[in-house]
Amino acid sequence: MAGNDEQKPSEDPTDDLATSQHSITAGGRALEYTATTGRIVLRQEKHTDGAFDGNVAKAEVFLTAYTLDGADPARRPVTFAFNGGPGSASVWLHLGLLGPRRVVSGDVGAMTPPPYELVDNAETLLAESDLVFIDPVSTGFSRAVKGGKPEEFHGFAADIEYISEVIRLWTSRNDRWMSPKFIAGESYGTTRGVAIAERLQSKYGMYFNGLMLISTALDFNALDFSEGNELPYALFLPTYAAIAHYHGLHGSRPLSEVVAEAVEFANRDYLWALVQGSRLSTADRQSIVDRTAALTGLSTDYVDAVNFRIEHIRFFTELLRSRRLTVGRIDGRFTGWEADYGREHFSHDPSISAITGPYASALNHYLRGELGYANDLPYEVLSSRVQPWSYKDFENAHVTTADKLSSAMRANPHLRVHIAAGYHDGATPFAGSDHVVAHLAIPAELGANIDLAYYEAGHMMYIHEPSRLQQSADLARFIRTSSNR
């Protein structure tokens, strides 16, 4: 029974799915669809002293699936979607971009006050593809089984293994092996999504038609401001310039012009200067300081003081200090307040603070009030329970799944990849996506399988209404052109 998380010691958990029927007008036509939401029991083969003990329940994984009524499974695409974190539920992609219902959250400077509103999403990807939203263990309503150890799921390798199994199970139980198949991941969900596609392809022969990678985090070397790693400073600088532009620090210059200048500077003179160290002449150093300050909107004194190496949280805290404001990491268009404007690192991300309320409230209402699923557990939108996240597979190496993407594309030359990036995303900078694509170990002819889209917004670019409309159209087009049907 949905909502009953307590289980007798001898009781084996069972799926608690709720099914409901709905309709929507999207993509220019009326769609009748079935929503199935709830927790499925994930099992693992167990052996003791070489003897098979059966499939033992390990976790109850929450998902929400939307399937078009009366569609031919052999021709109807299906998309498996999740967000990242690690520790994020799939609510953002679900109610912000892809699902048949969406929350009206407002945008920077005009956020919707509580209570919030859910409306039909006329641009839902359901017009092109069935949708399955998956919440990783310890997020949403997903949990380890009673007596199980949640930390066994809180790591790179385990995460890839069990979510791959969820996708395999859903595909098999719903007879969708012959359907065109896609993965949509956001942020760490792109790390996860690429590795899952490679695992299912190599282990079970489940080949995907396409990957939709939103705000990519495929190579952490491009994101990690660690001692001796100069790369992130260069890859974040164009994002800093875009954020400075948004807040009026580039006058009347168009964003495209500012970004182009910043990319060229970051890729050439700035990156060269970073690797020079003490070999940089006084004159060259001053030139780099001046140009960095002009592009980022920071003072020359500040840029000089940090040796022109601008760490991202420091940037968000410093940029508008004179206005007594901080800017968002997830979305640099947002601003927030602090109790102490002398601090070096802001105390919270104002963009996350702005959007969490609408999404959490809408999801909790939607599941009970519209989809008929009740559970007394708290729905974990952004969970700290997954920390510390284990990267033990990358001991003495940086985290990357770019190699897995290359491997999957080489083995499956029909695999297409769509990458979406926001100019104001201070968590996964757009130049980082460009860098990863340029360094994929694939033959030149497979480069045509990759398309990149840029939006004048942040990490969840669909919060910005013009970007949401454009992104919805871009993803629909990607599904149509990649389904081969």
Side-chain angles (χ1 to χ4, degrees), residues 355-370:
I355 64 176
T356 299
Y359 280 80
S361 298
L363 194 283
N364 276 280
H365 157 74
Y366 179 56
L367 294 179
R368 284 179 177 266
E370 298 190 21

Side-chain angles (χ1 to χ4, degrees), residues 179-229:
S179 299
K181 288 179 284 297
F182 295 83
I183 286 176
E186 181 177 285
S187 195
Y188 186 83
T190 65
T191 315
R192 171 188 291 134
V194 164
I196 285 173
E198 192 275 338
R199 175 182 172 82
L200 287 171
Q201 177 176 299
S202 61
K203 187 173 179 64
Y204 298 116
M206 181 183 289
Y207 279 45
F208 285 82
N209 291 68
L211 304 177
M212 293 170 277
L213 307 178
I214 300 167
S215 303
T216 59
L218 301 186
D219 187 342
F220 285 26
N221 197 45
L223 307 173
D224 181 16
F225 289 90
S226 57
E227 185 68 28
N229 183 18

Side-chain angles (χ1 to χ4, degrees), residues 83-92 134-136 139-140 192 380-383:
N83 280 83
S88 176
S90 61
V91 58
W92 313 101
I134 302 169
D135 288 345
T139 76
R192 171 188 291 134
E380 297 280 355
V381 173
L382 290 169
S383 175

Side-chain angles (χ1 to χ4, degrees), residues 235-262:
L235 296 180
F236 274 76
L237 188 137
T239 294
Y240 298 158
I243 294 172
H245 173 274
Y246 181 83
H247 293 289
L249 300 176
H250 281 284
S252 60
R253 296 180 66 192
L255 175 63
S256 58
E257 179 182 299
V258 172
V259 166
E261 180 186 350

Side-chain angles (χ1 to χ4, degrees), residues 29 55 61 79 89 110 136 139 215 264 326 357 397:
R29 69 185 196 277
N55 291 321
V61 178
T79 298
T139 76
S215 303
E264 182 179 8
T326 59

